[in-house]
Amino acid sequence: MINLNRVAREIKTIGLYDLVLQDVQRIAGKNRVDEAKILQILEKNPEILQDYMQTNVEYNLSNIHLKDINVQNLKDECKQEAQTFNENLEKLRALEKYTLDFEQSATLVIIFSIEFFVLFSVQYFIVLLNLKEWQWWIYSLFASSVAFAYWYGKKQSRLYAKNKQRYEVLYLQTLQLLEALEEKECIKKEDLLIHECEEHV
């Protein structure tokens, strides 16, 4: 459900993917690469496509380059499957953020940021406000916050793993549904491709 021609064009022209482009240039052995060469490299080096997709998820951009099917113009026997396809796409877009490794997610950054703030506050209360007689209570509070952060982090990690698995299963089901709709000549995949990301324009 990814448009490789769009991927190649975006890697070449959009600054967001400069690190991916540098990897492409390193593999190509030259600084100037055209879209055809990028497509060849994507085919032989799937990790480049993974880096592109990872960048998109980090910046809340979708790797699903298909739009919903307009069910109004379809034959009756195609409508139900097309509606299911549209519903699946909506679910996939919602679950897409969970395809990012939890260790690289914004959730983990937020947890660490809060803990840093709590630690700074602990030091402030003890040292600057001269609350040494309360220091064990304050340190206990900090230790409790660390324990809570650890528990919450583990909970979120499990949520990421569970939803990533849901995403992968639903992705395969949706691809099969797309192929079935094409075989029945209900739609053409080419008509559903999104060739340009509005966020980049």
Side-chain angles (χ1 to χ4, degrees), residues 21-189:
L21 178 60
Q22 288 171 17
D23 288 339
V24 168
Q25 291 167 334
R26 180 183 47 77
I27 292 167
K30 54 185 178 181
N31 286 338
R32 291 190 180 194
V33 286
D34 59 14
E35 290 175 27
K37 185 65 178 172
I38 294 172
L39 283 169
Q40 288 175 3
I41 290 170
L42 286 171
E43 189 177 321
K44 293 177 184 172
N45 302 275
E47 68 276 7
I48 299 294
L49 181 59
Q50 283 304 118
D51 290 344
Y52 166 89
M53 293 170 72
Q54 181 97 358
T55 301
N56 277 346
V57 175
E58 287 171 3
Y59 285 89
N60 293 320
L61 299 172
S62 182
N63 288 312
I64 299 168
H65 297 165
L66 295 177
K67 57 188 170 189
D68 290 356
I69 298 170
N70 183 353
V71 294
Q72 292 177 344
N73 303 328
L74 294 181
K75 300 176 278 189
D76 288 341
E77 60 268 22
C78 300
K79 282 186 178 179
Q80 184 58 50
E81 286 182 330
Q83 285 172 340
T84 303
F85 177 83
N86 290 346
E87 289 166 10
N88 285 1
L89 279 187
E90 189 176 339
K91 290 174 190 170
L92 285 169
R93 289 183 189 116
L95 290 170
E96 200 168 10
K97 64 183 176 185
Y98 296 107
T99 61
L100 187 66
D101 290 335
F102 178 68
E103 290 75 19
Q104 298 174 358
S105 69
T107 306
L108 195 60
V109 172
I110 291 167
I111 291 170
F112 278 124
S113 299
I114 291 171
E115 278 310 300
F116 179 77
F117 174 75
V118 170
L119 177 61
F120 178 78
S121 300
V122 164
Q123 294 302 319
Y124 174 79
F125 283 122
I126 291 171
V127 177
L128 295 179
L129 296 180
N130 198 20
L131 295 174
K132 290 187 179 173
E133 66 274 10
W134 294 92
Q135 68 182 354
W136 292 113
W137 289 104
I138 295 170
Y139 279 128
S140 296
L141 177 66
F142 174 65
S144 299
S145 75
V146 169
F148 176 78
Y150 178 79
W151 169 81
Y152 185 74
K154 284 292 185 185
K155 181 181 175 186
Q156 287 298 305
S157 178
R158 287 191 298 273
L159 179 67
Y160 268 71
K162 179 183 173 185
N163 282 331
K164 184 175 184 178
Q165 189 174 17
R166 281 180 59 205
Y167 178 90
E168 288 168 357
V169 169
L170 188 60
Y171 189 92
L172 289 175
Q173 290 173 353
T174 308
L175 268 182
Q176 290 167 354
L177 195 54
L178 179 64
E179 289 168 10
L181 285 164
E182 272 199 295
E183 282 176 19
K184 291 179 183 176
E185 297 182 352
C186 298
I187 51 120
K188 289 181 183 174
K189 183 180 175 183

